[in-house]
């Protein structure tokens, strides 16, 4: 990576002012390290603009001087997309204004640096719901959520970040500002530009603000933890619940026994049942007519789909169930190396995928411990595999791509995707290029060339 000349760095820093242009490596550590320390970056300069105008001024200079820029919002991404490799880092973390909330329109307009939690809270204050929900919601920011098309636990009912976005403001690679901050539910005036930028991981433009959809705040949540004999039974339970609750079923998450062992061992969580079961489902239904969830669960017992079940009797108990699920990733850190797969298959194939992938891992590396968990309701499983007990962590992690090949091979045979919600970044860039058809790759490169002809935005991410 060619170093940026001092004059350009000084011009860029002058835009945001000395206090928010970081050049001291010790002060920029927070921006350089990925959450799990899988990537540690370097940068000559971290810029923290406070307005769209400042972002535009930065991009104008970058374009003129061929200076590469890596955008970053909350730095919770899991594919290395926001970590610089010697480029200037542009952080959105000072652009945190809630610009407007319109209860009648059911929309909220926010700057890209708002944390997801702050957007949820602003909606809640207006008796509305912003349903995007991820375990990282206190730290991730809306610009990053849209740039990665984040998913999370409520996709089943509300869709992913793309489905929740009505309009965008984007600073283009040459510094021009596209103001698409519209709150229209219908707009068929030509190409849908906002959907080009959503999921583009900072390679096509910098998202500076967004208009998002709000929903009525649920009047009640009913949450059940159900022990099930197998993922096949979990799928049948999903069908039972969907038939009764339809779109009021907002979450349907699967947790394996080993996941409960990890969270109770490391995260101060309580064992939920008196005995251990092989699999668990966390299901949530909103605006539930009295006893509906209990009736479905009773039916599941009769059909042999449920082995045990608890319906949360208080908000505290509901939060305790969710903590079991939300702490799944964190708890794996205490068990040594973990090789990750964020994959999706058609919902009907999730159980077959789990059978095949678990068997394949057992054969590939005896003692390796699959911890597959996540959004069974929308076909997205985080197929994480913890290292065998006692194995050297580095030796285990050196098998990352071999294991990926094995698991992704099964996913692709089942018609699935190797990146369900985390994106491509650098982690899956080369693999994506091997998997996608030449036509798809050509279309993606054509878009990159059209929107960022000098290749200054997030170089080396998504596309080589
Ligand atoms: C504990 C934990 C749980 C998670 N759970 C989920 C989950 O359930 N579902 C899910 O989808 N993800 C999940 N993630 C991943 C991560 O939180 C999401 O990808 C999130 O959307 C990233 O947001 P961010 O603000 O941290 O983005 P960053 O990490 O800052 O950036 C992510 C990517 O977007 C680009 N980018 C950032 N801001 C902008 C911008 N303003 N304009 C253009 N490009 C930009 C970056 O260059 C990078 O490529 C989880 C992460 C953690 C640590």
């Amino acid at each position: 990576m060619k170093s940026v000349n001092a004059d350009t760095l000084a011009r860029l820093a002058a835009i945001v002012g000395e206090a928010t242009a970081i050049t001291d490596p010790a002060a920029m550590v927070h921006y350089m390290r990925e959450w799990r320390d899988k990537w540690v970056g370097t940068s000559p300069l971290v810029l923290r603009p406070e307005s769209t105008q400042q972002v535009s001024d930065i991009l104008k200079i970058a374009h003129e001087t061929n200076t590469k820029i890596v955008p970053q919002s909350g730095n919770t991404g899991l594919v290395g997309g926001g970590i610089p490799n010697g480029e200037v880092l542009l952080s959105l973390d000072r652009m945190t204004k809630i610009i407007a909330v319109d209860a009648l329109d059911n929309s909220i307009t926010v700057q890209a640096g708002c944390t997801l939690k702050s957007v949820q809270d602003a909606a809640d204050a207006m008796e509305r719901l912003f349903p995007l929900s991820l375990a990282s919601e206190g730290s991730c920011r809306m610009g990053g959520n849209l740039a990665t098309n984040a998913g999370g636990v409520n996709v089943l009912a509300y869709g992913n970040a793309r489905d929740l976005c009505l309009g965008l403001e984007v600073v283009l690679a040459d510094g021009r500002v596209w103001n698409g901050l519209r709150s229209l539910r219908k707009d068929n005036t030509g190409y849908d530009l906002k959907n080009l930028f959503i999921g583009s991981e900072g390679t096509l433009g910098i998202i500076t603000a967004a208009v998002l959809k709000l929903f009525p705040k649920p009047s009640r949540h009913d949450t059940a933890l159900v022990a099930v004999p197998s993922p096949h039974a979990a799928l049948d339970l999903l069908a039972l619940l969907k038939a009764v609750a339809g779109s009021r079923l907002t979450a349907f998450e699967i947790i394996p026994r080993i996941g409960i062992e990890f969270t109770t061992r490391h995260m101060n969580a309580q064992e939920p049942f008196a005995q251990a079961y092989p699999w668990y489902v966390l299901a949530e239904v909103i605006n539930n007519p009295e006893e509906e969830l209990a009736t479905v669960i009773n039916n599941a017992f009769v059909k042999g789909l449920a082995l045990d079940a608890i319906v949360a009797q208080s908000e505290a108990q509901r939060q305790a169930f969710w903590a079991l699920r939300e702490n799944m990733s964190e708890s794996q850190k205490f068990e040594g190396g973990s090789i990750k797969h964020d994959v999706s298959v058609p919902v009907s194939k999730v159980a077959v995928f789990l059978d095949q992938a678990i068997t394949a891992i057992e054969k590939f590396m005896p003692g390796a411990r699959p911890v597959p968990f996540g959004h069974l309701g929308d076909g997205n499983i985080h197929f994480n595999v913890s290292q065998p007990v006692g194995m050297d962590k580095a030796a285990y992690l050196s098998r990352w791509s071999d294991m990926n090949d094995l698991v992704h091979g099964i996913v692709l045979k089942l018609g699935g995707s190797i990146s369900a919600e985390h994106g491509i970044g650098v982690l899956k860039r080369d693999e994506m290029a091997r998997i996608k058809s030449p036509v798809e790759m050509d279309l993606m490169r054509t878009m990159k060339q059209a929107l960022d002809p000098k290749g200054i935005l997030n170089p080396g991410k998504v596309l080589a």
Side-chain angles (χ1 to χ4, degrees), residues 25 32 57 79 95 112 121 125 148 160 169 182 188 190 218 237 267 288 321 325 328 337 369 374 407 415 422 446 453:
M32 297 297 126
D57 292 344
V79 290
M95 294 180 56
D121 288 348
T148 58
N160 46 31
E169 178 187 77
R182 294 184 277 264
N188 276 351
L237 176 61
M267 308 302 294
N288 179 26
F321 288 173
R325 162 63 186 87
M328 203 63 55
R369 295 168 295 164
V407 174
H422 296 161
T446 304

Side-chain angles (χ1 to χ4, degrees), residues 163-205:
D163 303 301
L164 300 172
C165 181
L166 293 167
L168 278 188
E169 178 187 77
V170 179
V171 176
L172 304 177
D174 60 8
R176 284 179 299 158
V177 179
W178 170 54
N179 184 339
L181 289 177
R182 294 184 277 264
S183 71
L184 301 174
R185 308 279 159 163
K186 289 183 140 185
D187 178 12
N188 276 351
T189 51
Y191 303 143
D192 187 343
L193 297 178
K194 76 174 185 304
N195 271 321
L196 260 186
F197 296 103
I198 297 173
S200 68
E201 300 181 50
T203 61
L204 300 181

Side-chain angles (χ1 to χ4, degrees), residues 379-392:
N380 174 197
I381 298 293
H382 298 303
F383 193 87
N384 295 353
V385 185
S386 285
Q387 67 173 70
V389 176
M391 185 173 178
D392 176 67

Side-chain angles (χ1 to χ4, degrees), residues 71 73-77 81 136 141 144-145 147-148 150-152 201-202 205 207 421 458:
S73 286
N75 195 18
T76 67
S136 54
R141 297 172 189 272
N145 295 147
T148 58
E201 300 181 50
I207 297 167
E421 58 178 14
N458 218 0

Side-chain angles (χ1 to χ4, degrees), residues 268-279:
N268 203 18
Q270 298 293 316
E271 185 72 51
F273 296 102
Q275 68 177 88
Y277 293 105
W279 294 89

Side-chain angles (χ1 to χ4, degrees), residues 280-293:
Y280 304 80
V281 160
L282 178 59
E284 190 155 281
V285 179
I286 57 166
N287 304 335
N288 179 26
E290 204 67 41
E291 299 302 320
E292 181 188 71
L293 187 57

Side-chain angles (χ1 to χ4, degrees), residues 78-79 147-151 160 162 199 201 340-345 379-382 404 407-408 411-412 416-429 431-432 435-436 462:
L78 297 174
V79 290
T148 58
N149 186 26
N160 46 31
R162 186 186 301 284
E201 300 181 50
K340 318 278 186 190
H341 309 84
D342 163 40
V343 297
S344 65
V345 292
N380 174 197
I381 298 293
H382 298 303
N404 279 183
V407 174
H408 291 167
V411 166
L412 293 173
S417 165
I418 63 157
S419 182
E421 58 178 14
H422 296 161
I424 295 297
V426 283
L427 182 68
K428 297 181 180 174
R429 183 192 70 187
E431 195 178 356
M432 179 189 78
I435 290 169
K436 280 197 185 283
V462 183

